[in-house]
Amino acid sequence: MNEVLSHDSTPLRVGSSPSLQIRFSAMIGNVLKNYDSSLYGLLAPFIAPLFFDNRDPLLALILTYALLPVGMLTKPIGALFFGRIGDRFGRKQALFLSLFGMACATFMMGCIPTYKEVGVLAPVLLTLARMFQSFSAAGEGVGAAIFVLEHTCQEKRSFMSSLYGVSTIIGTFLASALIAFFSSLGTIESSFRFLFWFGGLTAFLGAFLRYATEDTEEFKIILRKTSIVETIFTYKKELLFTTLAAGFSYTTYSTAFTLMNGYVPMISSISKEELMKINTALLGVDFILLPCFGYLTYKVKKEVMMATAALCLAVGAIPLFHLLYEPTIAKVIFLRLTIVMLGVAFAAPYHAWAITQVPPQHRYTILSLAGAFGSQCIGAPTASISLWLYRQTGCVIAPGFYLAVIASAAFYSVLRCQQKRSASQIVE
């Protein structure tokens, strides 16, 4: 058994290992959530001409990518909504409702008519569906990680965090593999609806599987009635630093797996189909690396691993994108693989690191908000901001500037949290 401290520093005991049902329900829910949320970003280069006026292909692609952060308002609201439910009424209820909402939104996205059929109504409906999807997603990914890690003993949390990350990659890998398959057949423009419907229906099943789980008795003991405003004000620094860290994790993913699929074909002769095949292969590498880096945290402190990864990209992002001045398949693979490896090194212990920043009774609210702000305000705009920078400057390395800035902020956040933790230990 493992002890954590409640808000008033009373030791509380948490189960040393999660049951198979809790692990499976959390992992399968995360697989389906990430399949649904990844699908739109990966499909963007293919569906841009279908839902926007395609007389300017670059503008259509920018507008399609611009819908990735459209949940900038709705996702934080969703984080407050599901976070409050998770901290007041239990993780189970919040996780069921969030995955059910994701299923509804994804299924609806497969039913939206194209620009050719209904004109400007098509992007309007797509925007509304994305907003609802973002609202629902706010309570899922972080909440499920909290649910699993609260059942895991302290020394195994970083490794379990990396395994949870593997379920994220499985969902993204599934979406990428299906898109690569249909694009290789040349039918992606006509079969993309099936991909949304498949994601929605399987997520419905996952939601009801999730409902069969139970919260721990230990969690019920530490429930405290505090206002949302009080919670946010009390943990405002923790919210800021975990937001910057979460944003960097999302940015590395968005750069390697979303931006590059649309960006590279614009500056080279490499096709979208070739990039999707590389995409799927790199997700396989990601899948293997996550548990490896998770295991490495038994030897290296998670804070050291995260800070090193962020610093490497802060310094190396611009030189990496300089490779694209004369792009080849080999250079593109090297660039993406480097970003993926450093992103995984940061992401593997992220959830285990994040839950140590906030006490259990406020964890769901603060960390869901951090995930929402990080993904929507920092990670999701990566592709659209990077393409805008390129359009304004004509500079191939422009995306590297954005990645370097976000990496620097993440490095600073990890250092500040570690300094604060060290200072509190000295006081104790």
Side-chain angles (χ1 to χ4, degrees):
M1 300 290 281
N2 178 51
E3 289 189 346
V4 296
L5 295 179
S6 68
H7 186 63
D8 58 1
S9 299
T10 304
L12 295 168
R13 298 178 73 79
V14 180
S16 60
S17 61
S19 69
L20 181 61
Q21 183 182 15
I22 290 173
R23 282 180 178 174
F24 182 73
S25 65
M27 299 296 184
I28 197 66
N30 195 45
V31 167
L32 298 173
K33 176 259 182 187
N34 282 282
Y35 171 88
D36 290 354
S37 59
S38 299
L39 195 59
Y40 177 84
L42 294 173
L43 279 173
F46 300 98
I47 65 175
L50 300 178
F51 287 96
F52 292 92
D53 189 344
N54 64 357
R55 285 176 292 184
D56 184 344
L58 176 57
L59 181 59
L61 185 60
I62 290 174
L63 291 174
T64 307
Y65 278 140
L67 290 190
L68 287 172
V70 78
M72 196 173 294
L73 175 63
T74 56
K75 198 164 187 179
I77 294 173
L80 288 173
F81 177 76
F82 293 110
R84 193 63 170 169
I85 293 174
D87 282 336
R88 287 290 306 277
F89 304 104
R91 315 316 198 194
K92 166 188 169 179
Q93 285 79 1
L95 291 172
F96 168 75
L97 291 172
S98 64
L99 189 57
F100 188 84
M102 281 282 295
C104 293
T106 304
F107 189 86
M108 287 189 295
M109 290 173 74
C111 302
I112 298 173
T114 64
Y115 186 90
K116 185 177 181 180
E117 294 169 331
V118 296
V120 294
L121 186 59
V124 170
L125 292 175
L126 189 62
T127 301
L128 292 175
R130 280 289 301 167
M131 291 176 71
F132 184 60
Q133 187 184 55
S134 295
F135 173 85
S136 302
E140 172 58 34
V142 174
I146 292 172
F147 194 44
V148 170
L149 295 179
E150 284 181 341
H151 289 77
T152 305
C153 60
Q154 181 70 34
E155 62 270 17
K156 294 182 180 179
R157 281 181 174 177
S158 291
F159 183 66
M160 186 58 66
S161 175
S162 69
L163 291 183
Y164 182 79
V166 167
S167 69
T168 298
I169 298 304
I170 292 174
T172 308
F173 180 86
L174 179 60
S176 180
L178 288 174
I179 293 171
F181 172 73
F182 284 111
S183 65
S184 68
L185 297 178
T187 61
I188 192 67
E189 286 80 6
S190 59
S191 57
F192 74 92
R193 297 187 186 280
F194 164 78
L195 300 177
F196 284 116
W197 291 334
F198 172 75
L201 291 173
T202 52
F204 279 124
L205 296 176
F208 286 102
L209 177 66
R210 174 75 56 70
Y211 197 71
T213 61
E214 292 294 338
D215 289 304
T216 63
E217 291 300 319
E218 290 85 356
F219 169 74
K220 297 174 184 177
I221 294 173
I222 61 176
L223 289 176
R224 294 173 64 92
K225 294 184 178 181
T226 56
S227 69
I228 292 177
V229 174
E230 181 184 349
T231 297
I232 294 174
F233 181 78
T234 303
Y235 299 101
K236 55 184 180 296
K237 289 185 179 179
E238 290 80 359
L239 175 60
L240 172 62
F241 294 141
T242 51
T243 294
L244 293 174
F248 172 65
S249 187
Y250 280 105
T251 298
T252 57
Y253 165 81
S254 296
T255 301
F257 295 110
T258 302
L259 168 67
M260 299 297 284
N261 292 335
Y263 184 56
V264 172
M266 286 186 174
I267 62 174
S268 73
S269 58
I270 301 172
S271 69
K272 290 181 288 188
E273 288 74 20
E274 288 177 296
L275 287 168
M276 283 307 304
K277 292 176 182 177
I278 297 172
N279 211 70
T280 304
L282 284 176
L283 284 168
V285 173
D286 210 346
F287 179 89
I288 296 170
L289 288 177
L290 269 166
C292 292
F293 278 110
Y295 179 78
L296 190 59
T297 58
Y298 286 122
K299 309 292 183 181
V300 181
K301 284 186 176 182
K302 52 183 177 288
E303 293 85 1
V304 173
M305 184 183 296
M306 293 171 69
T308 302
L311 180 61
C312 286
L313 272 181
V315 174
I318 294 173
L320 280 172
F321 272 90
H322 194 272
L323 294 172
L324 296 183
Y325 273 110
E326 295 180 0
T328 63
I329 288 288
K331 288 181 179 180
V332 170
I333 291 176
F334 177 77
L335 188 157
R336 296 177 78 174
L337 185 59
T338 302
I339 295 174
V340 166
M341 289 183 65
L342 293 173
V344 169
F346 189 91
Y350 167 76
H351 290 294
W353 170 82
I355 67 170
T356 64
Q357 309 304 316
V358 188
Q361 61 270 34
H362 304 294
R363 210 170 260 164
Y364 210 123
T365 299
I366 295 298
L367 296 186
S368 291
L369 268 177
F373 287 133
S375 63
Q376 296 304 299
C377 300
I378 301 174
T382 298
S384 55
I385 290 176
S386 297
L387 288 174
W388 178 83
L389 288 172
Y390 171 66
R391 194 183 192 203
Q392 294 299 114
T393 64
C395 185
V396 171
I397 64 173
F401 288 103
Y402 184 75
L403 181 57
V405 169
I406 303 305
S408 299
F411 174 70
Y412 172 78
S413 298
V414 175
L415 283 187
R416 285 283 298 176
C417 287
Q418 183 58 26
Q419 289 170 357
K420 181 181 176 182
R421 187 173 182 181
S422 298
S424 64
Q425 289 174 346
I426 292 173
V427 171
E428 292 172 2

